[in-house]
Amino acid sequence: MPDDPNGFARDLFDGLPARYDRLAEILSFGQNGQWREEMVGHVIPADGVILDVASGTAGVALQLAARNVREHGRARVVGVDLTEQRLAIIPPGLSTRASSASVDALTFTYLLRYVRDPQATLAELARVLKPGGMMASLEFYVPDGPLWHPAWWAYTRMVLPAGGLLLGGREWFRVGRFLGPNISAHYRRYPVAWTVQAWEKAGLVDVRTRVMSLGGGLVMWGTRAGG
């Protein structure tokens, strides 16, 4: 882990092009949007505030807002992100300022690999939830088995950097080269069982997980205790 995880993440993602979401879909073989939709489906309240942490280009926040409209809800979506350049891509009308008050639901995406203390981060995220509020997350995962793990390893170490360079330039090459080793290292240190316990220590109950796309993605969700 770098000495300054926040600075490292900001530097890593600041230079990505505005077509970030389109390239993410291409390089994930169209799975990224499905993973987001799965996560979003676990956190839609009828009203109140939904906080999307590490919002990036607002892909999740926009899906939250769209699903809320489809389900005739009255919730307000708030997105916050460390990288201002990525938030600048968010369309007008979508708030990018987090309220200091409690929220009714919370999502975060690809976050815990970039923080020094995942347990403390989860505790802080859970703190802003109202009792009974839902929290859900999306993260890359590592497939297992004699076929899918070697295929994933080869893709993340070779194909992903090359494809990033071809489609997105030097910035995407840098991110592509970083992701595979970073994902592997994270799960060696913080396996899923540890992460579930960390959610529970932070005050979440009924914590569940769903592995998606043969192990490429991991969605987690739970409820703030006391509801």
Side-chain angles (χ1 to χ4, degrees), residues 55 58 76-81 87-88 90-91 93-99:
S55 195
R76 183 168 64 94
V77 179
V78 176
V80 294
D81 193 87
L87 281 173
I90 296 177
L94 184 65
S95 174
T96 62
R97 297 183 62 189
S99 171

Side-chain angles (χ1 to χ4, degrees), residues 50-69:
I50 307 172
L51 178 62
D52 181 41
V53 178
S55 195
T57 57
V60 170
L62 291 171
Q63 285 186 246
L64 286 164
R67 186 156 184 165
N68 182 61
V69 170

Side-chain angles (χ1 to χ4, degrees), residues 56-140:
T57 57
V60 170
L62 291 171
Q63 285 186 246
L64 286 164
R67 186 156 184 165
N68 182 61
V69 170
R70 291 199 306 270
E71 298 183 5
H72 307 288
R74 300 179 301 277
R76 183 168 64 94
V77 179
V78 176
V80 294
D81 193 87
L82 179 70
T83 308
E84 295 180 1
Q85 287 85 345
R86 298 178 79 204
L87 281 173
I89 303 172
I90 296 177
L94 184 65
S95 174
T96 62
R97 297 183 62 189
S99 171
S100 59
S102 296
V103 298
D104 299 272
L106 185 148
T107 59
F108 62 94
T109 308
Y110 308 129
L111 173 64
L112 295 184
R113 288 182 293 110
Y114 299 104
V115 300
R116 181 176 287 109
D117 188 340
Q119 180 68 76
T121 299
L122 287 166
E124 182 63 15
L125 292 171
R127 182 187 64 80
V128 305
L129 269 177
K130 292 180 180 178
M134 295 293 297
M135 185 165 82
S137 73
L138 166 62
E139 184 52 84
F140 293 119

Side-chain angles (χ1 to χ4, degrees), residues 164-198:
L165 179 63
L166 178 65
L167 297 173
R170 293 177 58 189
E171 294 88 356
W172 268 96
F173 172 75
R174 185 184 178 205
V175 172
R177 188 174 58 179
F178 163 82
L179 279 177
N182 177 258
I183 295 166
S184 296
H186 177 79
Y187 287 107
R188 283 196 298 269
R189 187 172 184 182
Y190 304 110
V192 174
W194 181 94
T195 308
V196 170
Q197 292 181 349

